[in-house]
Amino acid sequence: MNLSSRVGGIAPSATLAIAARAKALQRAGVDVISLSVGEPDFDTPAHITAACIEALRRGETHYAPGTGLPALLEAIATVSTGRNRIPCSPDRVIVTAGAKDAIHQAMQAVLNPGDEVIVLTPDWVSYGPCIRLADGVPVFVPVDPTTFQLTDALLEAVTDRTRMIVVNSPSNPSGAVLDRHSLGLVADVCRDNGIVALSDEIYDRLVYGVPCVSLASLAGMEDLTVTINGFSKAYAMTGWRLGWALGPKPVIDYMARVQSHTTSQAVTFVMHGGLAALTGDQSPVEEMRRAFDQRRRYVLGRLAGMGYRTAPADGAFYAFVEVGGDDVAVASRWLDEARVAVTPGSAFHAPGWLRISYATSLPRLEEAMDRVAAL
Ligand SMILES: Cc1ncc(COP(=O)(O)O)c(C=O)c1O
């Protein structure tokens, strides 16, 4: 059977193997503590769910404008201009079926065959595949996870085929947050070479005592940056599949073309939930952030007590731990002997590291750390 070599070139994620084993053990009744998932364990705040249900009852079940409900585009522009300091208007925004869909569309909109895209590693698992699906070539540039400071190595990775650079801060998998100096280096590279930045800021609301600066807020970057964000992490809305991109109008217009021939639009009543999320009570976001912070401190303290070195976990809900050597073997041992599922760093181009998601209740984290400490 004829199959696409483009899709064939995308390997299924290495993370899935351990996650699948963890699930199989759980199904067999084994008490596995899963610290491998990238989603909040909280319920979506009730006022958001209520707004969606009301929209359904009102009959908001028809097509909406392709880039999103006008009120939602307006709300995203307002939040981006206010909180993120990104000069923005609704015509520079597109609402998508999750942040991942926005990333995929942005790659489709910007890249031509053979175009190179710099990806800072450790990196989230879907950037490479999204680049390859757009016939681009990912160029992975390692950043030291223990500092997460960019250096001139970034400049050396730029060639005359470089068209885009992907930045993700706060980072999945490391939880680290890029400082102004590092963001400034990215901005210099983009401005000097006319390169577009894709800045994935899906964890921007989840930072702990450090500022999260939007790349597009730096001088001259608003027309060179496609900012990706969404509802999944801040509002515990992973299953709603709702996200957005904002950026230069030509890129957003091309993304709208892609969307018009693929999903058509984000789901109409789901967008009403998103509108309630952005315009309604923000206190649940802060409550969840505080809970994550408490768990973060606990996990980091326990790991330090066991002698592990970790990346600066200033954001998101991940601790990134240096275990040295064969991280897949270590993750397997944690699963087999401690019944604790984590993700090997190799999945993020960071062999010798493990990603621990602390989006799990404190008692379960305590139990998990006790089990690992007893190994
Ligand atoms: C860095 C990063 N970007 C994007 C996404 C995708 O988010 P969404 O659920 O909105 O598609 C994730 C989810 O794991 C993520 O960690």
Side-chain angles (χ1 to χ4, degrees), residues 43-51:
D43 289 335
T44 303
H47 70 281
I48 299 174
T49 311

Side-chain angles (χ1 to χ4, degrees), residues 38-39 97-101 103 124 127 168 170-172 200 202-203 228-233 237-239 241-243 318 355:
E39 66 174 334
K100 191 184 282 183
D101 186 33
I103 293 164
W124 180 54
Y127 300 128
N168 170 219
S171 157
N172 177 4
D200 182 348
I202 185 95
Y203 294 98
I228 305 292
N229 212 322
F231 297 86
S232 291
K233 315 293 178 174
M237 291 173 67
T238 45
R241 311 310 307 130
L242 194 63
Y318 307 107
R355 187 191 75 175

Side-chain angles (χ1 to χ4, degrees), residues 80-350:
S80 305
T81 308
R83 195 174 55 227
N84 299 91
R85 306 262 177 270
I86 305 172
C88 185
S89 50
D91 61 342
R92 290 167 66 97
V93 181
I94 181 166
V95 180
T96 55
K100 191 184 282 183
D101 186 33
I103 293 164
H104 175 65
Q105 286 187 22
M107 302 296 183
Q108 296 288 330
V110 171
L111 300 180
N112 283 298
D115 284 351
E116 292 178 3
V117 180
I118 294 175
V119 180
L120 308 176
T121 70
D123 58 312
W124 180 54
V125 292
S126 292
Y127 300 128
C130 285
I131 293 164
R132 289 201 176 94
L133 285 172
D135 284 331
V137 180
V139 176
F140 296 105
V141 176
V143 181
D144 180 356
T146 56
T147 61
F148 207 43
Q149 297 267 339
L150 298 191
T151 63
D152 288 350
L154 179 62
L155 309 178
E156 287 155 28
V158 177
T159 73
D160 57 4
R161 300 301 320 250
T162 309
R163 295 289 177 269
M164 186 187 265
I165 172 165
V166 175
V167 179
N168 170 219
S169 171
S171 157
N172 177 4
S174 77
V177 178
L178 282 177
D179 63 15
R180 267 190 181 274
H181 172 75
S182 293
L183 287 173
L185 255 182
V186 175
D188 287 345
V189 165
C190 290
R191 283 184 302 238
D192 294 349
N193 300 280
I195 296 170
V196 170
L198 182 137
S199 185
D200 182 348
E201 302 177 10
I202 185 95
Y203 294 98
D204 70 337
R205 304 288 294 271
L206 299 175
V207 284
Y208 313 103
V210 298
C212 179
V213 178
S214 289
L215 183 63
S217 70
L218 271 57
M221 284 306 288
E222 80 221 45
D223 283 325
L224 284 175
T225 310
V226 181
T227 303
I228 305 292
N229 212 322
F231 297 86
S232 291
K233 315 293 178 174
Y235 296 96
M237 291 173 67
T238 45
W240 292 61
R241 311 310 307 130
L242 194 63
W244 71 81
L246 63 97
K249 198 162 168 0
V251 177
I252 299 299
D253 287 350
Y254 265 40
M255 290 174 68
R257 278 197 207 183
V258 175
Q259 178 146 288
S260 72
H261 292 295
T262 51
T263 57
S264 292
Q265 53 159 103
V267 176
T268 304
F269 45 85
V270 163
M271 287 194 276
H272 283 278
L275 181 60
L278 288 186
T279 57
D281 180 13
Q282 299 300 301
S283 62
V285 179
E286 178 57 13
E287 278 162 29
M288 289 189 270
R289 193 196 67 82
R290 278 173 199 256
F292 286 135
D293 193 16
Q294 193 190 11
R295 299 161 179 193
R296 176 185 80 99
R297 287 163 195 265
Y298 175 77
V299 169
L300 291 177
R302 289 296 303 267
L303 292 169
M306 290 179 230
Y308 285 117
R309 202 156 69 128
T310 50
D314 294 326
F317 37 65
Y318 307 107
F320 208 48
V321 192
E322 190 171 22
V323 289
D326 185 344
D327 53 298
V328 178
V330 177
S332 293
R333 182 159 174 252
W334 284 28
L335 179 59
D336 293 336
E337 296 177 23
R339 305 299 190 211
V340 172
V342 296
T343 310
S346 303
F348 314 107
H349 299 102

